[in-house]
Amino acid sequence: MDDFLKQTLLYDFYGELLTSHQKEIYEQSVLEDLSLSEIAQAAGISRQGVHDLVKRCDKTLQGYEDKLHLVEKFLAVREKVHRIDQVLDQYDPEDDSELAREIRKIAREIIDEL
């Protein structure tokens, strides 16, 4: 998973646990792709301060994920739903017993993930 996707998923799941100041700076850096200088000037802090804050936020968000695994579970469920789509693409109305077994198997895996 690329860094941007990882950061956005972590922020989507755990961003509300950051302070309002952290959220504002993190959103400007990661989601709005503003430079450290632009953020620093607007916030009245140094570029180094912005950099440190973003790195601390990354570490904090990753810490939440390490404990709760919500992003990991979300990605696993998303993959299983994708597998269901692939199985349904092979649908044959003449012989759907194997298809039904495969869908039930994947559905049980999704339930187990939750």
Side-chain angles (χ1 to χ4, degrees), residues 4 50 60 63 78 106:
F4 177 72
V50 172
T60 298
R78 187 176 75 173
I106 297 169

Side-chain angles (χ1 to χ4, degrees), residues 27-41:
E27 286 175 5
Q28 290 174 351
S29 175
V30 175
L31 304 178
E32 298 172 22
D33 199 27
L34 296 178
S35 71
L36 296 178
S37 297
E38 292 171 315
I39 299 167
Q41 186 176 18

Side-chain angles (χ1 to χ4, degrees), residues 21-102:
H21 178 69
Q22 289 174 321
K23 286 194 301 190
E24 181 181 341
I25 301 296
Y26 197 80
E27 286 175 5
Q28 290 174 351
S29 175
V30 175
L31 304 178
E32 298 172 22
D33 199 27
L34 296 178
S35 71
L36 296 178
S37 297
E38 292 171 315
I39 299 167
Q41 186 176 18
I45 58 178
S46 68
R47 286 179 71 253
Q48 185 64 44
V50 172
H51 178 268
D52 292 346
L53 190 140
V54 170
K55 290 300 175 194
R56 265 194 320 276
C57 288
D58 280 334
K59 188 175 180 177
T60 298
L61 296 172
Q62 185 60 53
Y64 291 134
E65 175 61 14
D66 292 343
K67 289 178 178 82
L68 301 172
H69 306 286
L70 296 178
V71 173
E72 179 184 326
K73 289 175 185 176
F74 167 77
L75 293 174
V77 167
R78 187 176 75 173
E79 173 60 29
K80 286 175 179 60
V81 169
H82 178 69
R83 284 179 40 209
I84 287 173
D85 271 348
Q86 289 176 329
V87 168
L88 289 174
D89 286 343
Q90 302 167 11
Y91 176 67
D92 177 6
E94 300 297 319
D95 180 28
D96 62 356
S97 60
E98 180 62 32
L99 177 69
R101 279 193 295 278
E102 184 66 20

